[in-house]
PDB file of all heavy atoms in Angstrom:
ATOM      1  N   GLY A   1      98.102  85.656 102.836  1.00  0.00           N
ATOM      2  CA  GLY A   1      99.548  85.984 102.961  1.00  0.00           C
ATOM      3  C   GLY A   1     100.230  85.516 104.259  1.00  0.00           C
ATOM      4  O   GLY A   1     101.390  85.080 104.274  1.00  0.00           O
ATOM      5  N   GLY A   2      99.460  85.716 105.366  1.00  0.00           N
ATOM      6  CA  GLY A   2      99.979  85.160 106.604  1.00  0.00           C
ATOM      7  C   GLY A   2     100.210  83.626 106.719  1.00  0.00           C
ATOM      8  O   GLY A   2     101.186  83.172 107.177  1.00  0.00           O
ATOM      9  N   LEU A   3      99.196  83.009 106.014  1.00  0.00           N
ATOM     10  CA  LEU A   3      99.324  81.459 105.955  1.00  0.00           C
ATOM     11  C   LEU A   3     100.669  81.080 105.220  1.00  0.00           C
ATOM     12  O   LEU A   3     101.341  80.162 105.564  1.00  0.00           O
ATOM     13  CB  LEU A   3      98.088  80.912 105.388  1.00  0.00           C
ATOM     14  CG  LEU A   3      96.773  80.982 106.216  1.00  0.00           C
ATOM     15  CD1 LEU A   3      95.612  80.618 105.418  1.00  0.00           C
ATOM     16  CD2 LEU A   3      96.918  80.213 107.462  1.00  0.00           C
ATOM     17  N   VAL A   4     100.699  81.713 104.089  1.00  0.00           N
ATOM     18  CA  VAL A   4     101.843  81.369 103.123  1.00  0.00           C
ATOM     19  C   VAL A   4     103.179  81.787 103.805  1.00  0.00           C
ATOM     20  O   VAL A   4     104.155  80.962 103.797  1.00  0.00           O
ATOM     21  CB  VAL A   4     101.724  82.145 101.838  1.00  0.00           C
ATOM     22  CG1 VAL A   4     103.008  82.045 101.023  1.00  0.00           C
ATOM     23  CG2 VAL A   4     100.625  81.562 100.994  1.00  0.00           C
ATOM     24  N   ALA A   5     103.195  82.969 104.572  1.00  0.00           N
ATOM     25  CA  ALA A   5     104.441  83.298 105.248  1.00  0.00           C
ATOM     26  C   ALA A   5     104.823  82.323 106.324  1.00  0.00           C
ATOM     27  O   ALA A   5     105.901  82.171 106.600  1.00  0.00           O
ATOM     28  CB  ALA A   5     104.248  84.671 105.784  1.00  0.00           C
ATOM     29  N   LYS A   6     103.816  81.658 106.908  1.00  0.00           N
ATOM     30  CA  LYS A   6     104.112  80.750 108.031  1.00  0.00           C
ATOM     31  C   LYS A   6     104.216  79.252 107.506  1.00  0.00           C
ATOM     32  O   LYS A   6     104.300  78.366 108.353  1.00  0.00           O
ATOM     33  CB  LYS A   6     103.019  80.795 109.069  1.00  0.00           C
ATOM     34  CG  LYS A   6     103.034  82.085 109.765  1.00  0.00           C
ATOM     35  CD  LYS A   6     101.872  82.196 110.890  1.00  0.00           C
ATOM     36  CE  LYS A   6     101.888  83.494 111.555  1.00  0.00           C
ATOM     37  NZ  LYS A   6     103.058  83.775 112.347  1.00  0.00           N
ATOM     38  N   GLY A   7     104.342  79.128 106.142  1.00  0.00           N
ATOM     39  CA  GLY A   7     104.733  77.859 105.640  1.00  0.00           C
ATOM     40  C   GLY A   7     103.625  76.828 105.229  1.00  0.00           C
ATOM     41  O   GLY A   7     103.912  75.746 104.915  1.00  0.00           O
ATOM     42  N   ILE A   8     102.389  77.338 105.132  1.00  0.00           N
ATOM     43  CA  ILE A   8     101.340  76.523 104.666  1.00  0.00           C
ATOM     44  C   ILE A   8     101.599  76.213 103.245  1.00  0.00           C
ATOM     45  O   ILE A   8     101.878  77.156 102.411  1.00  0.00           O
ATOM     46  CB  ILE A   8     100.055  77.223 104.888  1.00  0.00           C
ATOM     47  CG1 ILE A   8      99.709  77.274 106.432  1.00  0.00           C
ATOM     48  CG2 ILE A   8      98.886  76.457 104.190  1.00  0.00           C
ATOM     49  CD1 ILE A   8      99.467  75.946 107.056  1.00  0.00           C
ATOM     50  N   ASP A   9     101.315  74.832 102.786  1.00  0.00           N
ATOM     51  CA  ASP A   9     101.586  74.660 101.412  1.00  0.00           C
ATOM     52  C   ASP A   9     100.554  75.354 100.498  1.00  0.00           C
ATOM     53  O   ASP A   9      99.356  75.349 100.621  1.00  0.00           O
ATOM     54  CB  ASP A   9     101.292  73.027 101.214  1.00  0.00           C
ATOM     55  CG  ASP A   9     101.623  72.543  99.904  1.00  0.00           C
ATOM     56  OD1 ASP A   9     101.724  73.355  98.931  1.00  0.00           O
ATOM     57  OD2 ASP A   9     101.668  71.280  99.764  1.00  0.00           O
ATOM     58  N   LYS A  10     101.065  76.088  99.514  1.00  0.00           N
ATOM     59  CA  LYS A  10     100.245  76.938  98.718  1.00  0.00           C
ATOM     60  C   LYS A  10      99.168  76.098  97.894  1.00  0.00           C
ATOM     61  O   LYS A  10      98.106  76.648  97.584  1.00  0.00           O
ATOM     62  CB  LYS A  10     101.123  77.722  97.740  1.00  0.00           C
ATOM     63  CG  LYS A  10     102.088  78.713  98.412  1.00  0.00           C
ATOM     64  CD  LYS A  10     102.976  79.296  97.366  1.00  0.00           C
ATOM     65  CE  LYS A  10     104.035  80.251  98.067  1.00  0.00           C
ATOM     66  NZ  LYS A  10     104.915  80.792  97.153  1.00  0.00           N
ATOM     67  N   GLN A  11      99.526  74.843  97.606  1.00  0.00           N
ATOM     68  CA  GLN A  11      98.688  74.008  96.872  1.00  0.00           C
ATOM     69  C   GLN A  11      97.493  73.472  97.711  1.00  0.00           C
ATOM     70  O   GLN A  11      96.614  72.817  97.191  1.00  0.00           O
ATOM     71  CB  GLN A  11      99.529  72.823  96.229  1.00  0.00           C
ATOM     72  CG  GLN A  11     100.313  73.330  95.097  1.00  0.00           C
ATOM     73  CD  GLN A  11      99.615  74.163  94.042  1.00  0.00           C
ATOM     74  OE1 GLN A  11      98.744  73.714  93.425  1.00  0.00           O
ATOM     75  NE2 GLN A  11     100.106  75.416  93.829  1.00  0.00           N
ATOM     76  N   ASN A  12      97.540  73.766  98.986  1.00  0.00           N
ATOM     77  CA  ASN A  12      96.502  73.330  99.851  1.00  0.00           C
ATOM     78  C   ASN A  12      95.475  74.513  99.996  1.00  0.00           C
ATOM     79  O   ASN A  12      94.515  74.440 100.755  1.00  0.00           O
ATOM     80  CB  ASN A  12      96.953  72.972 101.355  1.00  0.00           C
ATOM     81  CG  ASN A  12      97.535  71.539 101.236  1.00  0.00           C
ATOM     82  OD1 ASN A  12      97.278  70.713 100.318  1.00  0.00           O
ATOM     83  ND2 ASN A  12      98.143  71.140 102.357  1.00  0.00           N
ATOM     84  N   ILE A  13      95.793  75.704  99.352  1.00  0.00           N
ATOM     85  CA  ILE A  13      94.877  76.879  99.472  1.00  0.00           C
ATOM     86  C   ILE A  13      94.251  77.064  98.076  1.00  0.00           C
ATOM     87  O   ILE A  13      94.964  77.240  97.089  1.00  0.00           O
ATOM     88  CB  ILE A  13      95.715  78.076  99.928  1.00  0.00           C
ATOM     89  CG1 ILE A  13      96.380  77.773 101.269  1.00  0.00           C
ATOM     90  CG2 ILE A  13      94.800  79.324  99.954  1.00  0.00           C
ATOM     91  CD1 ILE A  13      97.252  78.972 101.650  1.00  0.00           C
ATOM     92  N   SER A  14      92.881  77.132  98.147  1.00  0.00           N
ATOM     93  CA  SER A  14      92.168  77.331  96.851  1.00  0.00           C
ATOM     94  C   SER A  14      91.281  78.714  97.157  1.00  0.00           C
ATOM     95  O   SER A  14      90.638  78.719  98.101  1.00  0.00           O
ATOM     96  CB  SER A  14      91.420  76.143  96.579  1.00  0.00           C
ATOM     97  OG  SER A  14      90.583  76.433  95.282  1.00  0.00           O
ATOM     98  N   VAL A  15      91.217  79.468  96.131  1.00  0.00           N
ATOM     99  CA  VAL A  15      90.518  80.735  96.307  1.00  0.00           C
ATOM    100  C   VAL A  15      89.658  80.974  95.148  1.00  0.00           C
ATOM    101  O   VAL A  15      90.078  80.898  94.014  1.00  0.00           O
ATOM    102  CB  VAL A  15      91.491  81.960  96.341  1.00  0.00           C
ATOM    103  CG1 VAL A  15      90.834  83.294  96.676  1.00  0.00           C
ATOM    104  CG2 VAL A  15      92.473  81.802  97.490  1.00  0.00           C
ATOM    105  N   SER A  16      88.291  81.259  95.374  1.00  0.00           N
ATOM    106  CA  SER A  16      87.448  81.721  94.376  1.00  0.00           C
ATOM    107  C   SER A  16      87.189  83.099  94.458  1.00  0.00           C
ATOM    108  O   SER A  16      86.769  83.789  95.527  1.00  0.00           O
ATOM    109  CB  SER A  16      86.090  80.907  94.577  1.00  0.00           C
ATOM    110  OG  SER A  16      85.118  81.460  93.703  1.00  0.00           O
ATOM    111  N   GLU A  17      87.417  83.876  93.275  1.00  0.00           N
ATOM    112  CA  GLU A  17      87.284  85.333  93.287  1.00  0.00           C
ATOM    113  C   GLU A  17      86.742  85.695  91.894  1.00  0.00           C
ATOM    114  O   GLU A  17      87.397  85.382  90.877  1.00  0.00           O
ATOM    115  CB  GLU A  17      88.681  85.955  93.485  1.00  0.00           C
ATOM    116  CG  GLU A  17      88.680  87.482  93.293  1.00  0.00           C
ATOM    117  CD  GLU A  17      87.566  88.307  93.901  1.00  0.00           C
ATOM    118  OE1 GLU A  17      87.335  88.186  95.108  1.00  0.00           O
ATOM    119  OE2 GLU A  17      86.922  89.062  93.249  1.00  0.00           O
ATOM    120  N   PRO A  18      85.628  86.366  91.777  1.00  0.00           N
ATOM    121  CA  PRO A  18      85.061  86.652  90.422  1.00  0.00           C
ATOM    122  C   PRO A  18      85.704  87.777  89.680  1.00  0.00           C
ATOM    123  O   PRO A  18      85.619  87.810  88.506  1.00  0.00           O
ATOM    124  CB  PRO A  18      83.615  87.022  90.832  1.00  0.00           C
ATOM    125  CG  PRO A  18      83.654  87.616  92.175  1.00  0.00           C
ATOM    126  CD  PRO A  18      84.731  86.730  92.947  1.00  0.00           C
ATOM    127  N   TRP A  19      86.370  88.747  90.477  1.00  0.00           N
ATOM    128  CA  TRP A  19      87.030  89.842  89.777  1.00  0.00           C
ATOM    129  C   TRP A  19      88.478  89.390  89.284  1.00  0.00           C
ATOM    130  O   TRP A  19      89.291  88.960  90.110  1.00  0.00           O
ATOM    131  CB  TRP A  19      87.072  91.042  90.676  1.00  0.00           C
ATOM    132  CG  TRP A  19      85.615  91.541  91.033  1.00  0.00           C
ATOM    133  CD1 TRP A  19      84.975  91.281  92.164  1.00  0.00           C
ATOM    134  CD2 TRP A  19      84.789  92.340  90.237  1.00  0.00           C
ATOM    135  NE1 TRP A  19      83.722  91.906  92.046  1.00  0.00           N
ATOM    136  CE2 TRP A  19      83.710  92.541  90.927  1.00  0.00           C
ATOM    137  CE3 TRP A  19      85.023  92.959  88.978  1.00  0.00           C
ATOM    138  CZ2 TRP A  19      82.573  93.357  90.428  1.00  0.00           C
ATOM    139  CZ3 TRP A  19      83.995  93.656  88.478  1.00  0.00           C
ATOM    140  CH2 TRP A  19      82.696  93.914  89.166  1.00  0.00           C
ATOM    141  N   ASP A  20      88.709  89.644  87.963  1.00  0.00           N
ATOM    142  CA  ASP A  20      90.046  89.377  87.382  1.00  0.00           C
ATOM    143  C   ASP A  20      91.204  89.946  88.110  1.00  0.00           C
ATOM    144  O   ASP A  20      92.198  89.257  88.408  1.00  0.00           O
ATOM    145  CB  ASP A  20      90.016  89.765  86.007  1.00  0.00           C
ATOM    146  CG  ASP A  20      89.034  88.875  85.043  1.00  0.00           C
ATOM    147  OD1 ASP A  20      88.603  87.874  85.505  1.00  0.00           O
ATOM    148  OD2 ASP A  20      88.783  89.429  83.913  1.00  0.00           O
ATOM    149  N   VAL A  21      91.042  91.234  88.434  1.00  0.00           N
ATOM    150  CA  VAL A  21      92.231  91.989  89.105  1.00  0.00           C
ATOM    151  C   VAL A  21      92.516  91.316  90.455  1.00  0.00           C
ATOM    152  O   VAL A  21      93.676  91.018  90.740  1.00  0.00           O
ATOM    153  CB  VAL A  21      91.838  93.497  89.253  1.00  0.00           C
ATOM    154  CG1 VAL A  21      92.903  94.070  90.144  1.00  0.00           C
ATOM    155  CG2 VAL A  21      91.702  94.085  87.935  1.00  0.00           C
ATOM    156  N   ASN A  22      91.520  91.087  91.297  1.00  0.00           N
ATOM    157  CA  ASN A  22      91.692  90.426  92.640  1.00  0.00           C
ATOM    158  C   ASN A  22      92.210  89.041  92.421  1.00  0.00           C
ATOM    159  O   ASN A  22      93.195  88.550  93.134  1.00  0.00           O
ATOM    160  CB  ASN A  22      90.446  90.406  93.430  1.00  0.00           C
ATOM    161  CG  ASN A  22      90.000  91.874  93.996  1.00  0.00           C
ATOM    162  OD1 ASN A  22      90.839  92.666  93.802  1.00  0.00           O
ATOM    163  ND2 ASN A  22      88.887  91.892  94.544  1.00  0.00           N
ATOM    164  N   ARG A  23      91.688  88.303  91.501  1.00  0.00           N
ATOM    165  CA  ARG A  23      92.146  86.843  91.305  1.00  0.00           C
ATOM    166  C   ARG A  23      93.622  86.823  90.858  1.00  0.00           C
ATOM    167  O   ARG A  23      94.260  85.970  91.309  1.00  0.00           O
ATOM    168  CB  ARG A  23      91.162  86.226  90.256  1.00  0.00           C
ATOM    169  CG  ARG A  23      91.348  84.710  90.172  1.00  0.00           C
ATOM    170  CD  ARG A  23      90.262  83.996  89.546  1.00  0.00           C
ATOM    171  NE  ARG A  23      90.165  84.392  88.024  1.00  0.00           N
ATOM    172  CZ  ARG A  23      89.149  85.178  87.591  1.00  0.00           C
ATOM    173  NH1 ARG A  23      88.286  85.620  88.363  1.00  0.00           N
ATOM    174  NH2 ARG A  23      89.243  85.487  86.273  1.00  0.00           N
ATOM    175  N   GLU A  24      93.915  87.756  89.949  1.00  0.00           N
ATOM    176  CA  GLU A  24      95.454  87.770  89.521  1.00  0.00           C
ATOM    177  C   GLU A  24      96.332  88.124  90.706  1.00  0.00           C
ATOM    178  O   GLU A  24      97.467  87.548  90.780  1.00  0.00           O
ATOM    179  CB  GLU A  24      95.535  88.727  88.366  1.00  0.00           C
ATOM    180  CG  GLU A  24      94.822  88.259  87.043  1.00  0.00           C
ATOM    181  CD  GLU A  24      94.768  89.342  85.985  1.00  0.00           C
ATOM    182  OE1 GLU A  24      95.282  90.435  86.217  1.00  0.00           O
ATOM    183  OE2 GLU A  24      94.059  88.994  84.987  1.00  0.00           O
ATOM    184  N   LYS A  25      95.896  88.978  91.532  1.00  0.00           N
ATOM    185  CA  LYS A  25      96.676  89.459  92.709  1.00  0.00           C
ATOM    186  C   LYS A  25      96.906  88.319  93.603  1.00  0.00           C
ATOM    187  O   LYS A  25      98.021  88.001  94.083  1.00  0.00           O
ATOM    188  CB  LYS A  25      96.020  90.568  93.338  1.00  0.00           C
ATOM    189  CG  LYS A  25      96.756  91.155  94.484  1.00  0.00           C
ATOM    190  CD  LYS A  25      96.032  92.427  95.151  1.00  0.00           C
ATOM    191  CE  LYS A  25      96.780  92.979  96.293  1.00  0.00           C
ATOM    192  NZ  LYS A  25      96.040  94.057  96.975  1.00  0.00           N
TER     193      LYS A  25
END
C-alpha cells in the first residue's frame, strides 16, 4: 500500500498468497 501510494507501477509488483481472502484483498 505504501509503495502504490508513492507511485510505484502496480504492474511491477507481484504477490504470491495462498489464501483466497488475502489474495483478493
Side-chain angles (χ1 to χ4, degrees):
L3 292 170
V4 170
K6 291 182 181 295
I8 294 294
D9 186 345
K10 297 174 184 179
Q11 291 306 300
N12 280 350
I13 302 174
S14 182
V15 185
S16 172
E17 169 54 48
W19 296 99
D20 292 345
V21 172
N22 285 350
R23 192 167 60 252
E24 290 168 6
K25 184 178 178 181

